[in-house]
Amino acid sequence: MSEQRNQHPTGQREEVRAERLARRFADEFGHAPDGVWRAPGRVNLIGEHTDYNDGFVLPFAIDRAAMVAVRVRRAGETGHDVVDLASTYAPDGAGLSRARFPAGDLAPGSVPGWGAYPAGVVHVLAGPDGEAVPGFELLLDSTVPVGAGLSSSHAVEVATVVALNDLLGRGLDRPAMARLTQRAENEFVGAPTGIMDQSASLMGRAGSALFLDCRTLDAETVPLPLAEHGLAVLVVDTGVAHSHADGGYAARRASCERGAAALGVASLRDVPADADLGVLDEETARRVRHVLTENRRVLEAVERLRTGDVRGIGPLLAASHASMRDDYEISCPELDLAVEAATAAGAVGARMTGGGFGGSAIALVPADQAGRIAGTVTEAFLRAGHRTPDAFVVVPGEGAQRVR
């Protein structure tokens, strides 16, 4: 496993990271930030593509997070209505990546690249009837792998909205911020995502998963005591980048909407378990079947965790992957290989996680076997001619918060 990826910046180490980011902010912008905030990425334990169908999901916040140092510009300050962004992630591997845009009059497509995520938050915070958002400076540093299906973009959005909510005194609660960042994705970035990723980043708790009703946003913290059961969640980042803004994701969502309309319901959440899917064309029926069975798997997983049967969710993970591979058709050869190799090496259960078409798989594994299983998966990838995956353990962590 990658040594760098296993240095989890939690507790005191996260405070040190925040202090370093504040110093770099001061070097970059010439003054101290008003504060430093963090928002984690997430792993979805089970419940894929159910969120935008008003269904159920069971993600957890991970111990890898986007961290932002932010300073709001003062009235009368030069460029008081301008947003200046910098990120330690530079695609060319050198220096800082930058973005700059006016705080007002933002329109979808007006800010390219990673800057679109904070810009989308500014856009929805202002809105047609909202208060104006002043200019600000922001320095981003993230340990959430990009393109791995662990919600690196949502972590950036959540860190931004939590920071601005604090600094501007907006008084928004966590569900309201989740809805705002969903709007930023849908309306500004152009990705038709649901509410799960933002909610997990905002409302996650250490040692727990978040059982979320995506219709009502009712949330329940469900114990996920992995260490007590000698288990760990191994992430296998296949290196195949995925994008929520691409056509595959949008096509799946559109198919679900057609299925709901044909079945005479507002969303697939309202389809009864014994519904006749024979009225649908074959492809739409498969898409709908995945959502219906995935919702049932989430509910069963929650019941097992409530009773302390952590290992009992393993078969549900396997069934979830088969459904995504065969009915929803969002897997790829690398994801299938990661699941197959991990299972053959002794994983309790494994599945792809995230939007699909690349990204990561997760495996519930005996904690003392995580390194060996990761090595077996890597060997399988090399034999198949795939690029070397990055495998690392994640721990259920805390949701977004101010750290400095």
Side-chain angles (χ1 to χ4, degrees):
M1 292 187 292
S2 166
E3 180 180 355
Q4 180 180 4
R5 289 289 182 90
N6 280 282
Q7 295 172 349
H8 301 306
T10 56
Q12 184 177 3
R13 281 175 289 180
E14 196 158 83
E15 295 176 6
V16 171
R17 182 180 165 212
E19 178 63 31
R20 288 174 178 167
L21 188 64
R23 288 200 301 268
R24 187 159 186 182
F25 181 99
D27 291 342
E28 176 65 22
F29 293 108
H31 37 243
D34 293 328
V36 179
W37 291 258
R38 64 173 290 282
R42 67 95 189 93
V43 154
N44 191 20
L45 192 60
I46 195 166
E48 220 65 73
H49 288 265
T50 52
D51 58 343
Y52 54 78
N53 289 296
D54 286 349
F56 304 105
V57 293
L58 190 63
F60 62 85
I62 62 175
D63 50 341
R64 294 168 187 272
M67 191 171 282
V68 295
V70 183
R71 175 185 176 272
V72 173
R73 295 187 188 276
R74 279 47 172 174
E77 182 179 326
T78 301
H80 70 279
D81 57 351
V82 172
V83 175
D84 274 306
L85 308 176
S87 171
T88 60
Y89 173 77
D92 60 5
L96 295 174
S97 177
R98 303 174 189 276
R100 195 170 200 259
F101 54 85
D105 299 322
L106 286 169
S110 60
V111 182
W114 70 272
Y117 301 112
V121 171
V122 173
H123 176 69
V124 297
L125 268 178
D129 303 314
E131 303 175 43
V133 176
F136 59 90
E137 298 154 325
L138 179 150
L139 177 60
L140 164 70
D141 178 71
S142 182
T143 57
V144 185
V146 175
L150 303 180
S151 294
S152 59
S153 61
H154 290 93
V156 173
E157 291 166 344
V158 168
T160 302
V161 77
V162 170
L164 292 179
N165 183 55
D166 283 355
L167 292 173
L168 303 180
R170 291 296 178 87
L172 298 169
D173 63 14
R174 300 273 164 152
M177 287 190 281
R179 290 189 177 96
L180 276 174
T181 49
Q182 183 189 18
R183 284 184 51 210
E185 279 280 316
N186 295 171
E187 299 171 13
F188 194 86
V189 178
T193 57
I195 199 73
M196 173 183 67
D197 298 344
Q198 304 91 331
S199 298
S201 185
L202 283 157
M203 294 184 271
R205 291 291 179 268
S208 303
L210 183 74
F211 174 40
L212 181 69
D213 181 331
C214 294
R215 169 171 283 173
T216 65
L217 288 194
D218 289 341
E220 175 189 346
T221 298
V222 180
L224 188 60
L226 296 170
E228 292 179 22
H229 292 263
L231 296 171
V233 172
L234 178 70
V235 174
V236 179
D237 179 359
T238 65
V240 180
H242 82 134
S243 171
H244 275 166
D246 68 12
Y249 189 98
R252 297 308 183 278
R253 183 162 186 166
S255 185
C256 291
E257 291 168 352
R258 287 194 301 272
L263 293 168
V265 295
S267 77
L268 296 185
R269 165 73 171 271
D270 301 314
V271 177
D274 59 352
D276 179 13
L277 302 186
V279 300
L280 306 173
D281 65 84
E282 181 182 352
E283 180 180 275
T284 303
R286 285 189 280 111
R287 306 294 189 250
V288 171
R289 184 168 61 229
H290 164 73
V291 174
L292 300 184
T293 58
E294 188 78 345
N295 275 326
R296 292 198 289 271
R297 284 186 286 269
V298 173
L299 296 176
E300 184 175 348
V302 169
E303 285 305 312
R304 289 185 178 276
L305 291 179
R306 284 172 177 159
T307 61
D309 184 14
V310 180
R311 286 182 176 268
I313 68 175
L316 299 173
L317 303 184
S320 175
H321 183 78
S323 181
M324 290 185 287
R325 181 192 63 212
D326 301 334
D327 280 349
Y328 223 62
E329 297 181 287
I330 55 173
S331 191
C332 66
E334 292 86 351
L335 288 169
D336 291 341
L337 180 58
V339 168
E340 293 162 7
T343 301
V348 178
R351 65 184 285 270
M352 59 149 284
T353 190
F357 311 104
S360 297
I362 58 169
L364 185 64
V365 302
D368 59 358
Q369 297 295 310
R372 181 187 62 78
I373 293 173
T376 299
V377 173
T378 297
E379 291 169 4
F381 267 60
L382 295 178
R383 285 196 303 270
H386 301 317
R387 62 178 291 180
T388 303
D390 194 3
F392 50 95
V393 169
V394 292
V395 178
E398 287 292 330
Q401 58 189 290
R402 183 169 184 162
V403 291
R404 186 181 183 278

